[in-house]
Amino acid sequence: IKQGNVWNVTLGNGKTALVPNEKIDGLLNVLSQIKPKRVVAKTSSKWKKYQVDTSGTQVKVFEGSDLSLDIVVGRYIFKQPRALSSFVRLSNEDNVYEVDGILSITFNHRPNYFRDFHLVFDNNSNWNKVTFTYPSDSSFILIKKNNKWKINGQNTDSTKTVNYLNSLQNLTNSNFVDNPDKASLDKAFYTITIESKDKGTIVISSFGNDISSIIHSSMRPEVYFKAGAKAFLTRIFVGRKHFFKN
């Protein structure tokens, strides 16, 4: 749903969530380019074959309150050389059309697919300090001095550090948790605090240390994620040895 210049997706719980511009732009671009190449069937008896019956994905487009497009997106096929086609049907017609592309990749998704997966909205070139607050005595600080990153005054490996900061800058997660147990958010197990010249203080927290941990970013105060995989935790909440050569 477009409200002003902003798109939102309705969720199963009655709430709405922001849709990133690149996702809605891609969807609208696919819609605008749907053009029939040929008619492959003219009777409803063929709908099941092309999955444009109830097994297809119905897509409706409204301009204001007016329904301007109502189609059913069916299955896709591979053709040589490297051609991809999908089958579609106008919902009030019997004809089935072949069109270019794999339309189901764009339209056949649950609401969460259209949400923003990002936890950080900043460039790490703005960062000058990253504090890792961990259990026991495993906490440490990564700090930039004279354009070099250091831990306890020792220069870190530049390649490893840049790779890590890039991964942190591009941190995403699609395991949304819309109604987290507030009692489980009392104290973070891991915390990363980023000092940015542009965005101020950015805090990424993990409430727990396993795949069911709740992840939160101060840049997305209303959004919570589930870690979903141990690899997510180990890739982000690294130890100080991660920044030095083996």
Side-chain angles (χ1 to χ4, degrees), residues 8-211:
N8 288 276
V9 58
T10 57
L11 307 177
N13 56 13
K15 297 181 180 180
T16 62
L18 184 69
V19 177
N21 288 337
E22 61 268 21
K23 288 192 176 182
I24 192 64
D25 289 346
L27 185 149
L28 296 178
N29 184 57
V30 170
L31 269 176
S32 67
Q33 294 186 38
I34 296 177
K35 294 181 177 63
K37 296 166 61 176
R38 65 188 182 100
V39 177
V40 296
K42 294 184 177 181
T43 63
S44 59
S45 62
K46 300 290 186 180
W47 288 1
K48 185 176 182 179
K49 174 182 178 181
Y50 297 104
Q51 295 177 7
V52 292
D53 53 359
T54 55
S55 64
T57 301
Q58 188 171 18
V59 181
K60 294 183 179 183
V61 178
F62 290 86
E63 297 184 50
S65 59
D66 297 327
L67 179 62
S68 59
L69 179 67
D70 188 353
I71 63 173
V72 180
V73 175
R75 69 182 181 90
Y76 63 88
I77 57 171
F78 293 92
K79 286 189 171 183
Q80 296 298 332
R82 298 182 181 179
L84 301 169
S85 295
S86 295
F87 300 106
V88 301
R89 175 178 64 85
L90 291 169
S91 64
N92 61 348
E93 290 187 7
D94 288 343
N95 287 354
V96 180
Y97 300 92
E98 181 182 342
V99 302
D100 285 328
I102 306 180
L103 301 188
S104 59
I105 288 180
T106 301
F107 299 108
N108 190 13
H109 295 286
R110 296 183 181 276
N112 278 348
Y113 169 83
F114 297 99
R115 300 172 72 171
D116 196 332
F117 297 168
H118 290 87
L119 279 76
V120 177
F121 302 93
D122 196 17
N123 191 298
N124 64 61
S125 63
N126 296 320
W127 304 350
N128 51 38
K129 184 180 180 182
V130 183
T131 301
F132 299 80
T133 304
Y134 293 163
S136 304
D137 59 350
S138 56
S139 301
F140 63 98
I141 298 174
L142 182 66
I143 192 165
K144 185 163 65 175
K145 291 184 177 180
N146 300 322
N147 291 320
K148 291 186 178 182
W149 287 95
K150 302 172 182 288
I151 296 176
N152 292 336
Q154 183 180 356
N155 289 341
T156 62
D157 181 85
S158 58
T159 300
K160 284 192 167 188
T161 304
V162 168
N163 288 342
Y164 173 79
L165 295 177
N166 285 338
S167 69
L168 197 58
Q169 167 190 308
N170 297 305
L171 184 60
T172 60
N173 193 315
S174 59
N175 301 303
F176 294 94
V177 179
D178 291 315
N179 295 294
D181 180 6
K182 298 298 182 180
S184 67
L185 307 178
D186 182 44
K187 185 177 181 180
F189 194 89
Y190 302 123
T191 301
I192 296 174
T193 305
I194 302 165
E195 301 298 335
S196 168
K197 292 179 289 186
D198 187 40
K199 302 294 185 180
T201 301
I202 304 167
V203 180
I204 301 169
S205 303
S206 174
F207 297 92
N209 65 337
D210 56 24
I211 62 174

